[in-house]
Amino acid sequence: MHIHVFSSEAELAEAAARRIVDRVRHDAEAVVGLATGSSPVAVYAAWGGQARAAGLDQSGVRGFALDEYLGLEPEDPRSYHAVIRRDAVAGAGLNPDLVRIPDGSGAPGAAAEYERAIRDAGGVDVQVLGIGRNGHLGFNEPGAAADSRTRIVELAEETIADNARFFEREDDVPTRAITQGLGTIFEARELLVIAVGNAKAAAVAAAIEGEETELVPASLLRNHANVHWFIDGAAAGDLSAVPASD
Ligand code: F6R
């Protein structure tokens, strides 16, 4: 596990983006796993900036989003279809035709089909992740099995409360979602976990230094051979030993 601590979100974003851009430089058809939420927005923008500056052709880069709410139309601006189009596709400069997002319509077979699509693409090379205040990854809430696959899940109350900021009322937040499982996510060859701000400090410390348990999904990251944490000073605030800054 590699822990990189930065004094600013801008530096963090540039460093995380460099890892993705290096991958794309080596493989024009690289497969990148895409998280939504606030944490990766600056990383996607930095990725796009670096790719443009380097004149990198990203038309063959493939993407797979982690999750989608159940019951929102893809055109709904609050859906993760819309968020991925806006933050990841536009931010990083990706070909929208090659970016897949789980089907939130509840159609039978959608989860298995998503797993198949990731497998058929050869798996994910670099997966971008955020972390929930309760340690969730994707929408794998506390208690999710380490070997879980893409499936429909119930959102934790804390997640609904946290995500209410994107909706008019908390009651409008969908209570169910389709998410890649932890087993699916952990098959990615490299994981980049982004955490910014002191609201994430407790979750980061629990994931890195606490007990390894399914009750803190991000603590299971320790079993992965190639994890890079990109955290700012505030998110690193509860770590007992803060690694030297990058
Ligand atoms: C995003 C996702 C979530 C978020 C997490 C952190 O696709 O599945 O796990 O990464 O909730 O969200 P932010 O970055 O908004 O704090």
Side-chain angles (χ1 to χ4, degrees):
M1 192 156 67
H2 307 273
I3 302 170
H4 313 277
V5 182
F6 299 86
S7 48
S8 77
E9 187 180 7
E11 288 170 75
L12 179 161
E14 290 296 335
R18 245 186 322 273
R19 292 198 76 85
I20 304 171
V21 169
D22 280 351
R23 165 63 52 191
V24 174
R25 233 191 276 277
H26 286 103
D27 179 1
E29 296 182 357
V31 179
V32 184
L34 304 165
T36 58
S38 308
S39 309
V41 174
V43 175
Y44 296 143
W47 169 9
Q50 291 177 23
R52 275 192 305 278
L56 208 56
D57 176 8
Q58 297 210 98
S59 60
V61 173
R62 296 164 292 166
F64 286 93
L66 280 175
D67 41 20
E68 175 59 287
Y69 290 117
L70 223 62
L72 295 185
E73 295 296 327
E75 294 73 33
D76 187 316
R78 302 161 305 178
S79 74
Y80 282 178
H81 276 71
V83 173
I84 287 287
R85 278 196 301 269
R86 184 191 66 216
D87 295 340
V89 172
L94 301 178
N95 176 353
D97 297 339
L98 299 184
V99 175
R100 298 273 312 250
I101 299 147
D103 173 1
S105 71
E113 205 278 314
Y114 202 66
E115 288 276 333
R116 212 167 21 247
I118 295 173
R119 240 189 348 264
D120 289 349
V124 172
D125 293 307
V126 189
Q127 173 68 56
V128 178
L129 292 168
I131 175 175
R133 281 192 306 128
N134 61 6
H136 76 199
L137 296 175
F139 277 137
N140 294 281
E141 302 287 20
D147 61 357
S148 50
R149 311 303 306 188
T150 302
R151 69 205 184 289
I152 290 172
V153 293
E154 301 279 336
L155 301 188
E157 273 177 32
E158 199 172 14
T159 301
I160 292 172
D162 280 350
N163 290 2
R165 67 191 193 278
F166 300 114
F167 294 81
E168 211 168 301
R169 285 185 308 266
E170 188 164 321
D171 279 355
D172 294 341
V173 183
T175 58
R176 294 195 302 159
I178 178 169
T179 183
Q180 287 189 34
L182 293 173
T184 320
I185 293 169
F186 294 158
E187 280 172 8
R189 289 179 272 281
E190 178 170 320
L191 304 176
L192 310 182
V193 194
I194 317 296
V196 177
N198 53 18
K200 298 296 172 69
V204 167
I208 293 175
E209 295 179 343
E211 188 193 341
E212 187 185 310
T213 164
E214 288 180 349
L215 296 177
V216 182
S219 70
L220 305 174
L221 288 166
R222 278 174 250 172
N223 296 315
H224 193 282
N226 194 11
V227 184
H228 290 263
W229 285 85
F230 288 85
I231 52 186
D232 72 348
D238 284 2
L239 290 174
S240 62
V242 179
S245 294
D246 271 36

